[in-house]
Amino acid sequence: MDLWLYILLLVVFLLLRVPVAFAMIAPSMLYFYSHGLSSGYAISSIVNGINSFPLLAVPLFIFVGTIANHLGIATRLYDFAKALLPRLPGNLAYVNLGTAIGFSWISGSALADAASTSKVQIPQMLKAGYPYGFSAGLTASGSLMSTVMPPSIPAVLFAATATISTGALFAGSILPALLMAIGLAVYVFIWVRLHPEVSTSRRFDGAMLRKATVRVLGPMLLPVIILGGIFSGLFTPTESAGIAAAYMLLLGAIYRTLNLRVFWRAAKETVVISGGILLILGASNLMGRCSPASRSRATSESGSRT
């Protein structure tokens, strides 16, 4: 089986909307069979692609994002940003952006960010007269910061596969994430200037701000614990993911929003999302073996074992 046929099959499977992982695995297995390589070696390649201690942080950070979604953390961040920016023209747009920044420090997952913040912010912006396209677009764009801002799940995946320091990658990704936030803030500023009908403001309420600040202190301590522990060398990124998950469960118990049903739903979502990501990662490792150099190395390894 030539590589051009392999690529053709991969493209055909993707066009047929076969799940990405299986679209990668199927032509890879055919490639292995056509060159006399065992299926056991192919399966071991998939397993070895995800058999990494740093990758344990992926399901843990995903769990942090999903449990934060179910515990109503986004609502607390939204109330705080709304109380902090009452007199700013177009304040709900900036509140949307501020909530996305705050949640990105917690979840590390754009999916969890978009799912949680959209339920809170889009209805409020529509009620205030913002167009649906702008509200949904700003929410979706803001959620993309979670893929860059630590603790970013894609950064953990990249660090594990490229064998580089996760802490160093986290440190280097803070500035790009802040630049994304500044770019979105500039866009919001220009858009609000062009649409003065939504430039509403309200009176500053100190009592509301104090109450919102108290409600948000717990969630905002989480990025301090994660990044502070990693950068100080107190614990590894994988250990920080476990600590973050335990801290989120503790917050849920303190806020009395955690019960067995919430825990089960968050755990089930974590398994589904993590399974898809790790299966794709293992399939990509198998794809990397489908080359003449990798084939000769696999043949020699199979011969040495026999």
Side-chain angles (χ1 to χ4, degrees), residues 160-177:
T161 54
T163 61
I164 62 175
S165 171
T166 306
L169 192 60
F170 278 178
S173 61
I174 294 176
L175 181 58

Side-chain angles (χ1 to χ4, degrees), residues 35-298:
H35 290 92
L37 298 174
S38 66
S39 59
Y41 182 80
I43 294 172
S44 68
S45 298
I46 297 175
V47 174
N48 290 335
I50 59 177
N51 187 20
S52 172
F53 179 73
L55 286 179
L56 184 61
V58 173
L60 290 172
F61 278 132
I62 291 175
F63 178 75
V64 170
T66 54
I67 196 70
N69 183 12
H70 290 291
L71 294 180
I73 301 301
T75 303
R76 293 172 177 265
L77 293 171
Y78 175 82
D79 292 341
F80 172 72
K82 188 175 180 181
L84 188 64
L85 304 170
R87 302 189 61 83
L88 190 65
N91 58 342
L92 284 186
Y94 292 103
V95 167
N96 187 317
L97 182 57
T99 306
I101 295 172
F103 203 82
S104 68
W105 283 103
I106 297 173
S107 69
S109 169
L111 183 62
D113 195 338
S116 57
T117 57
S118 61
K119 297 175 183 177
V120 179
Q121 297 177 122
I122 292 180
Q124 295 295 327
M125 293 182 71
L126 294 178
K127 190 183 299 184
Y130 289 83
Y132 178 80
F134 175 76
S135 305
L138 181 61
T139 304
S141 301
S143 66
L144 293 177
M145 283 186 291
S146 295
T147 61
V148 183
M149 186 77 79
S152 167
I153 293 172
V156 174
L157 290 171
F158 179 79
T161 54
T163 61
I164 62 175
S165 171
T166 306
L169 192 60
F170 278 178
S173 61
I174 294 176
L175 181 58
L178 293 178
L179 289 176
M180 291 175 63
I182 293 172
L184 287 173
V186 171
Y187 173 77
V188 169
F189 176 81
I190 297 173
W191 189 91
V192 170
R193 291 284 180 175
L194 296 176
H195 299 80
E197 67 275 7
V198 299
S199 300
T200 57
S201 61
R202 59 179 179 80
R203 184 175 59 85
F204 177 80
D205 190 336
M208 181 184 294
L209 179 59
R210 286 191 296 272
K211 181 180 178 181
T213 302
V214 171
R215 283 169 48 85
V216 85
L217 282 178
M220 292 310 295
L221 280 176
L222 182 61
V224 176
I225 295 172
I226 295 174
L227 300 182
I230 294 174
F231 295 153
S232 66
L234 189 61
F235 40 75
T236 66
T238 305
E239 292 168 345
S240 73
I243 292 172
Y247 182 77
M248 267 307 187
L249 293 176
L250 178 62
L251 282 183
I254 294 173
Y255 296 154
R256 298 183 180 179
T257 54
L258 179 65
N259 52 45
L260 287 177
R261 192 176 82 169
V262 169
F263 180 82
W264 173 252
R265 289 176 61 187
K268 185 168 67 173
E269 290 178 18
T270 301
V271 170
V272 172
I273 298 172
S274 302
I277 292 175
L278 295 177
L279 187 58
I280 292 174
L281 188 62
S284 65
N285 187 62
L286 177 62
M287 282 185 65
R289 308 279 181 168
C290 298
S291 65
S294 299
R295 187 176 73 241
S296 61
R297 186 170 62 250

